[in-house]
Amino acid sequence: MTSFTETDERLELRRQVAKLAKGYGREWFTERARAGEKTTELWMEIAKAGYLGVNIPEEYGGGGGGIGDVAAVCEELAAQGCPLLMMVVSPAICGTVIAKYGTEAQKQKWLPGICDGTGTMAFAITEPDAGTNSHNITTTARRDGDEWVLKGQKIYISGVDEAANVLVVARAEDAKTGKLKPCLFVVPTDSTGFEFTAIPMEIVSPESQFQVFIDDVRLPGDAIVGDEDGGLVQLFAGLNPERIMAASFSTGLARHALEKASAYAKERTVFKAPIGSHQAIAHPLAMAHIENELARLMTQKASALVDAGDDMAAGEAANMAKYAAAEAAVHAVDAAVQTHGGNGITQEYGMAGMLVAARAGRIAPVSREMILNFVAMHSLGLPKSY
């Protein structure tokens, strides 16, 4: 078995997820989004089939697979026109962090719900004033007897309205030095003092973005995940999987756009021939397909490195995969819209709605500029620029 091909088991997982998602499809997904409804039905069916927590250890209700397995699920859903953003957040980020650093009691408490879809977990790191600089977050956690008290704000937090809990990144005071250190806390979304308001977005998605207000939210002592002094290592454990999932989200979107555009280019006839016979139409689609396949390969490499525990190499590959996938998706969707001509910007054909979704991949969960900074510094050894 060569390392650049997937196992038969992974390929079968892809086939089964694609088959399930095809029963819903892009039209169903878009209708839910435009009506302000959720995709709970699809989410719960994925969970019931065992695909949602495929990367979580079996003893907690998961499939015992790796990040590459849950990334495959994410990609196949997107390829069928049903990209689920909460796949990136709940099983991949939160599930990975808790499985790796949580206590036995925490794993028992939170992982089964992540797997069966009843305890979906959001992730809150981004703040209005910190933005890309996660070192500058100001949400604080202070001890009060046996409890923790959290205070702060977060922004662009996905799916808080669908989540039972949120994994919040805050800063706690170090008793020895007095300095603030990053810590992770599980916060129930129905906690007193925890409020959120939806941010109106141009993106066509049933999953909403929120500004979150944390006003003296009291948590039990065991709400902190991992070692209080574990710092950034624990936080970053969820970020490589996040980038891999974001890459799979993008490559799936690109595949969906290219499949639609190719079908249209074979059927649409102008000047006595299908438009796909014209290189002006065919070449941009072919180029986008090449870019997307390269991005998929790098995503596979990143997944393998994460699953092998090689965090430094995984960080480089995951960043590169996310960058390449976002670029591929932007080019693929743009070419798909152009292939459809005027039909590309109608609601009926559903192409234009993907433009913002694809473009968001260049910004979130980490901007392409920060990835270029990472590669310049860590891969090329150039001086730090920020």
Side-chain angles (χ1 to χ4, degrees):
M1 178 66 70
T2 47
S3 59
F4 57 84
T5 57
E6 295 187 307
T7 62
D8 290 343
E9 192 178 22
R10 173 87 53 82
L11 293 172
E12 183 58 26
L13 173 66
R14 285 184 180 277
R15 278 190 288 271
Q16 293 303 324
V17 174
K19 186 177 168 186
L20 189 157
K22 200 169 190 175
Y24 292 85
R26 183 70 188 175
E27 203 172 309
W28 175 85
F29 184 86
T30 307
E31 280 173 7
R32 299 282 84 66
R34 295 199 190 281
E37 296 171 5
K38 299 298 179 188
T39 51
T40 311
E41 191 184 340
L42 174 58
W43 185 259
M44 295 310 289
E45 193 170 342
I46 297 162
K48 191 177 177 184
Y51 305 143
L52 188 54
V54 71
N55 61 310
I56 307 284
E58 289 181 53
E59 57 265 40
Y60 308 108
I67 198 66
D69 295 312
V70 75
V73 174
C74 182
E75 186 187 359
E76 295 307 321
L77 288 166
Q80 295 301 324
C82 300
L84 296 182
L85 187 57
M86 291 307 286
M87 283 287 309
V88 179
V89 180
S90 191
I93 303 176
C94 301
T96 299
V97 169
I98 292 168
K100 197 165 183 179
Y101 292 109
T103 61
E104 184 57 34
Q106 288 172 336
K107 292 176 193 178
Q108 299 276 6
K109 185 176 181 179
W110 290 311
L111 292 179
I114 288 175
C115 295
D116 69 16
T118 61
T120 299
M121 195 176 283
F123 179 66
I125 182 169
T126 310
E127 293 187 0
D129 296 326
T132 298
N133 188 357
S134 300
H135 297 280
N136 268 6
I137 63 170
T138 56
T139 297
T140 53
R142 63 178 172 83
R143 282 192 180 279
D144 185 12
D146 293 336
E147 296 182 320
W148 289 96
V149 180
L150 265 62
K151 190 176 186 65
Q153 280 185 46
K154 300 289 180 181
I155 198 166
Y156 300 121
I157 308 307
S158 307
V160 181
D161 57 336
E162 300 177 75
N165 300 286
V166 185
L167 186 61
V168 174
V169 182
R171 291 166 76 85
E173 189 175 48
D174 189 311
K176 296 180 192 132
T177 66
K179 288 182 179 175
L180 293 174
K181 56 195 176 175
C183 293
L184 296 152
F185 296 87
V186 176
V187 182
T189 49
D190 60 0
S191 299
T192 302
F194 186 92
E195 294 181 7
F196 48 90
T197 55
I199 302 168
M201 305 289 284
E202 291 289 356
I203 197 166
V204 181
S205 172
E207 295 163 319
S208 305
Q209 299 292 311
F210 293 89
Q211 182 151 11
V212 175
F213 303 92
I214 304 166
D215 190 11
D216 288 339
V217 172
R218 288 192 165 269
L219 300 170
D222 64 357
I224 188 167
V225 176
D227 183 355
E228 191 183 325
D229 299 311
L232 289 170
V233 173
Q234 295 171 163
L235 171 59
F236 286 131
L239 298 188
N240 284 340
E242 179 186 47
R243 284 150 176 63
I244 288 167
M245 293 294 281
S248 297
F249 190 95
S250 290
T251 56
L253 271 181
R255 282 171 55 198
H256 179 73
L258 290 170
E259 186 184 336
K260 291 283 186 192
S262 298
Y264 187 84
K266 286 180 226 173
E267 293 161 10
R268 173 76 169 151
T269 299
V270 181
F271 302 118
K272 299 180 182 178
I275 60 172
S277 65
H278 303 304
Q279 291 178 344
I281 297 293
H283 283 184
L285 296 176
M287 287 162 69
H289 178 65
I290 291 168
E291 283 184 35
N292 202 47
E293 286 303 302
L294 292 170
R296 292 183 75 207
L297 200 55
M298 182 53 91
T299 306
Q300 205 170 305
K301 177 181 177 178
S303 301
L305 288 166
V306 165
D307 292 337
D310 189 345
D311 290 338
M312 196 59 216
E316 180 186 54
N319 274 296
M320 288 180 173
K322 188 264 172 192
Y323 179 96
E327 297 303 303
V330 167
H331 297 155
V333 173
D334 188 65
V337 170
Q338 194 69 17
T339 298
H340 283 77
N343 287 334
I345 48 178
T346 63
Q347 285 193 2
E348 180 188 352
Y349 284 84
M351 287 286 102
M354 295 172 65
L355 283 169
V356 185
R359 187 62 182 76
R362 281 177 164 172
I363 300 165
V366 60
S367 72
R368 65 203 290 266
E369 290 75 18
M370 285 307 292
I371 289 177
L372 293 172
N373 282 338
F374 181 96
V375 171
M377 268 180 68
H378 296 285
S379 306
L380 303 179
L382 297 172
K384 190 173 180 177
S385 61
Y386 59 95

